[in-house]
Amino acid sequence: MAGLKGKDILHGNQFTKKDIEAIMKVAAEFEKELKGKGALNLLKGKILATLFFEPSTRTRLSFEAAMQRLGGGVIGLGSLEGSSVAKGESLTDTARTVAQYADVIVLRHPRQGSAKEAADAVPIPVINAGDGAGQHPTQALLDIFTMRKELGTLKNLKVCLAGDLKYGRTVHALAEVLSLFGARLFFVSPAMLRMPEEITASLRGRGMEVTETEDLFQAASQCDLIYMTRIQKERFSDLGEYEKVKGSYVIDQEFLSRLKKEITIMHPLPRVDEIHPEVDGYAGAAYFRQMRNGIFIRMALLAMIFGKR
Ligand code: ASP
């Protein structure tokens, strides 16, 4: 993709390995710099607009914090009910409006493809912070950054992506990013929630070894890392179907003691019941460190989009 300056960030497949290495390098520099200073002046005078049509805690706050740590400003709609969205304004009209006031838009929306739609409608960069069951590319970048920190390398990784692989946008983006590093992937899900066929087929087409299974224990026994995900209740049109798969997988002390080996556990959060809180103190439980890494990756992306790194 040859540099991020002025670019949209829409999909996990838009990056080259070199792009990702560059982003991680800048993120690591910001992590160091923040320890000394607390705030930088790189994006003084720039404004980031958050447009969140779905709930968010980590993505939104870490983007806002990242922009402010870089010296830039942040605007947002507050509540959708208090904006013209409540009057039925279209996403593209809303995006066009926001583009008059801001220099970059971070968008989360329930419709797959919405980020691309908004990006096509405005002259400023749009960052996809989750488009329905589609993609969540900035999460994938902070995930791979976390994997390298936790495991010391991205070479020859064996990774289990587990839970809701059908509707989980984080795993869709992460599988694309991991494919650049030659990871061996195990897709673990109930039959109803398998990874979309086009993603699996495209990974295999690029020579990746991908195993699909419903057995988390068996897959985890062969892996260095489990990337656990929440069953995406809000995507089910029939809650009866959700009831059938909820609680399919739970990582708890008992699971870990049966595994008889150290394994790294990640999760994009929020969790519901798939990782028991008793696991939080386990040395390999990386999910809280993972969310902290979000700010460094998002600082790197913003600085690079504005050509300041
Ligand atoms: N926070 C992540 C997302 O927005 C994961 C999740 O909601 O389960 O996709």
Side-chain angles (χ1 to χ4, degrees):
M1 139 172 218
L4 291 183
K5 190 173 175 195
K7 297 272 168 65
D8 301 310
I9 296 181
L10 301 177
H11 201 288
N13 72 5
Q14 80 183 70
F15 307 106
T16 62
K17 189 170 171 186
K18 233 173 122 195
D19 290 329
I20 294 175
E21 274 161 357
I23 296 164
M24 291 197 294
K25 183 163 176 276
V26 176
E29 285 165 12
F30 280 137
E31 179 171 8
K32 258 201 216 133
E33 278 183 52
L34 267 195
K35 274 192 192 129
K37 291 194 194 118
L40 308 164
N41 242 346
L42 278 186
L43 299 187
K44 198 160 187 278
K46 298 290 182 201
I47 293 180
L48 173 146
T50 54
L51 264 184
F52 276 65
F53 292 77
E54 276 192 342
S56 171
T57 300
R58 278 151 289 271
T59 305
R60 179 172 183 158
L61 293 183
S62 65
F63 260 116
E64 292 186 1
M67 191 64 180
Q68 294 192 24
R69 294 266 188 218
L70 289 168
V74 176
I75 59 173
L77 287 181
S79 76
L80 295 176
E81 295 76 38
S83 77
S84 283
V85 173
K87 300 178 185 169
E89 186 161 58
S90 69
L91 171 63
T92 45
D93 281 359
T94 303
R96 279 189 195 111
T97 309
V98 173
Q100 301 303 313
Y101 314 136
D103 303 294
V104 60
I105 295 175
V106 179
L107 172 72
R108 171 170 291 182
H109 194 279
R111 194 168 63 247
Q112 205 166 329
S114 52
K116 170 87 172 68
E117 238 173 70
D120 288 344
V122 301
I124 63 171
V126 171
I127 301 176
N128 181 3
D131 60 328
Q135 288 278 313
H136 195 345
T138 68
Q139 176 75 45
L141 294 170
L142 79 88
D143 291 340
I144 196 149
F145 182 62
T146 303
M147 285 180 193
R148 196 183 63 181
K149 279 170 89 173
E150 295 289 325
L151 298 165
T153 177
L154 292 174
K155 282 209 186 92
N156 302 323
L157 289 192
K158 295 195 192 102
V159 177
C160 243
L161 303 184
D164 187 345
L165 306 186
K166 178 177 181 186
Y167 297 121
R169 55 198 176 197
T170 65
V171 281
H172 298 166
L174 182 56
E176 297 286 355
V177 164
L178 280 171
S179 75
L180 298 173
F181 293 85
R184 166 101 171 77
L185 297 181
F186 292 77
F187 291 164
V188 183
S189 72
M192 198 199 289
L193 298 177
R194 283 174 63 185
M195 184 66 88
E197 177 57 28
E198 67 268 21
I199 297 182
T200 315
S202 132
L203 295 172
R204 288 195 173 123
R206 281 180 267 152
M208 293 210 39
E209 219 181 313
V210 180
T211 304
E212 292 187 274
T213 172
E214 291 186 40
D215 188 339
L216 178 62
F217 183 77
Q218 223 248 339
S221 312
Q222 302 173 67
C223 283
D224 310 303
L225 184 145
I226 305 174
Y227 186 95
M228 197 63 175
T229 62
R230 175 179 70 88
I231 311 281
Q232 308 279 296
K233 183 178 181 184
E234 66 275 30
R235 308 273 175 241
F236 285 75
S237 47
D238 175 355
L239 279 184
E241 295 293 291
Y242 169 73
E243 291 296 325
K244 286 187 202 155
V245 286
K246 78 167 198 208
S248 292
Y249 303 110
V250 177
I251 298 181
D252 55 13
Q253 292 286 17
E254 190 268 334
F255 178 90
L256 290 175
S257 58
R258 271 198 296 134
L259 210 51
K260 292 198 191 83
K261 66 165 192 174
E262 286 291 313
I263 194 160
T264 300
I265 303 167
M266 290 174 57
H267 192 306
L269 302 176
R271 64 177 152 184
V272 181
D273 54 6
E274 60 279 2
I275 300 180
H276 194 287
E278 70 191 14
V279 172
D280 295 355
Y282 172 69
Y287 31 92
F288 297 125
R289 295 189 288 275
Q290 178 184 356
M291 71 178 167
R292 170 140 183 89
N293 289 330
I295 185 161
F296 311 128
I297 283 290
R298 291 173 173 132
M299 285 176 78
L301 290 172
L302 291 169
M304 291 168 91
I305 283 175
F306 288 110
K308 296 291 184 185
R309 275 294 193 276

